[in-house]
Amino acid sequence: MPLSDLLPQDAKPAPEVVRERGRGAHKGQQTRATILEAALNLASQMGIEGLSIGALAEVTGMSKSGVFAHFGSREELQISVIREYHERFEEEVFMPAIRQARGLPRLRALFDNWVAKVATEIDSGCIYISGAVEFDDRPGPVRDALAGMVVTWHGSLVRAIRMAIDMGHLRADTDPMQMQFEIHGLILSLHHDARFLRSPDAIDRARTAFERLIQYYTLGAPMSSGAVGPSGPPTVGGSVAQTAPLTSV
């Protein structure tokens, strides 16, 4: 008996079934991408802890069961958002930089791209930084995923620094881990002053500090006082801050 005789009369040919399954999978991927986009926006405003199946269902206009079907749990949703942020960070910061020449040009590009990324997140916030505040004392899979992404990025910076040392662009006695620590500190200061204090010159100061750092690790001496960045009193929200001795605070 032919195999076709065993199938229902309305059964679809195999190629058509494959195409339909492919369309279904593609639609599922699009839906998941839509949910992740909404989740990223939500996390940037409310933090990773602000993510929930219910909140995303409300934002996307989907049912809770529909959102749940794509992630399975709130924890998996949070981890997926961290991974998505990391992928975008790579695309915007890391990938353009590795097209630059090895050594100092690449290291500069990594820092410049990182500063540009922070500049676009002044109103929304950096998930790496805000997530660290949320999960610094909360062990678990979400913290592990976030810490793993940050450690991966730090490793990329360390490798770029080592390349610069190998190529003679930085002093042979440069400690890559120490230099990476100091570069990260500049970004944390930039994020704090630009986002919290709303200082308009925070980006310029971060770039000036980076050049000071490069000169130290190149020549072994700090920049002269004449090369300091933007001058003027500290500002809060764009207004001149009222300074006072720490003892009076």
Side-chain angles (χ1 to χ4, degrees):
M1 177 183 296
L3 182 60
S4 58
D5 291 348
L6 299 176
L7 297 173
Q9 292 300 314
D10 59 350
K12 297 177 181 178
E16 189 174 338
V17 172
V18 171
R19 282 195 297 272
E20 286 196 357
R21 287 177 178 172
R23 285 194 293 269
H26 181 64
K27 183 178 180 181
Q29 292 171 353
Q30 287 182 323
T31 302
R32 181 183 173 88
T34 298
I35 296 173
L36 275 177
E37 184 69 32
L40 269 173
N41 291 333
L42 199 61
S44 67
Q45 298 295 332
M46 303 175 61
I48 298 173
E49 273 296 282
L51 293 175
S52 68
I53 300 294
L56 272 180
E58 183 177 347
V59 169
T60 59
M62 297 177 61
S63 65
K64 290 183 180 181
S65 60
V67 175
F68 185 84
H70 286 277
F71 297 98
S73 69
R74 179 169 177 261
E75 185 176 87
E76 180 56 35
L77 168 64
Q78 292 172 324
I79 292 174
S80 296
V81 166
I82 292 170
R83 288 173 178 160
E84 180 69 16
Y85 181 83
H86 183 73
E87 289 179 7
R88 296 188 184 195
F89 188 93
E90 280 189 330
E91 291 174 1
E92 297 173 26
V93 178
F94 179 74
M95 296 308 295
I98 63 172
R99 292 194 284 269
Q100 301 298 318
R102 290 187 174 191
L104 203 49
R106 184 174 298 182
L107 182 60
R108 285 184 185 281
L110 286 170
F111 182 77
D112 288 343
N113 294 349
W114 199 0
V115 168
K117 176 71 172 173
V118 173
T120 65
E121 296 176 330
I122 289 177
D123 291 327
S124 59
C126 171
I127 287 180
Y128 282 163
I129 297 174
S130 62
V133 175
E134 291 183 83
F135 291 92
D136 59 351
D137 59 350
R138 299 179 58 184
V142 177
R143 183 191 185 282
D144 292 345
L146 181 62
M149 301 302 176
V150 173
V151 168
T152 297
W153 168 235
H154 284 182
S156 297
L157 281 173
V158 169
R159 285 193 296 274
I161 293 168
R162 284 181 176 146
M163 285 182 186
I165 296 170
D166 293 341
M167 299 191 72
H169 297 168
L170 298 175
R171 294 193 339 251
D173 63 348
T174 297
D175 180 346
M177 295 294 290
Q178 178 63 32
M179 189 175 185
Q180 178 274 132
F181 181 89
E182 292 170 6
I183 291 174
H184 189 204
L186 297 182
I187 294 295
L188 292 177
S189 294
L190 166 60
H191 185 271
H192 176 275
D193 282 19
R195 182 164 165 76
F196 180 59
L197 298 182
R198 299 291 172 176
S199 298
D201 54 6
I203 290 176
D204 288 337
R205 290 190 179 280
R207 287 176 174 153
T208 297
F210 180 75
E211 291 306 318
R212 188 189 296 268
L213 193 66
I214 290 297
Q215 185 157 344
Y216 173 77
Y217 283 106
T218 302
L219 304 176
M223 292 171 63
S224 64
S225 58
V228 178
S231 60
T235 59
V236 177
S239 301
V240 176
Q242 297 300 314
T243 57
L246 289 177
T247 54
S248 66
V249 174

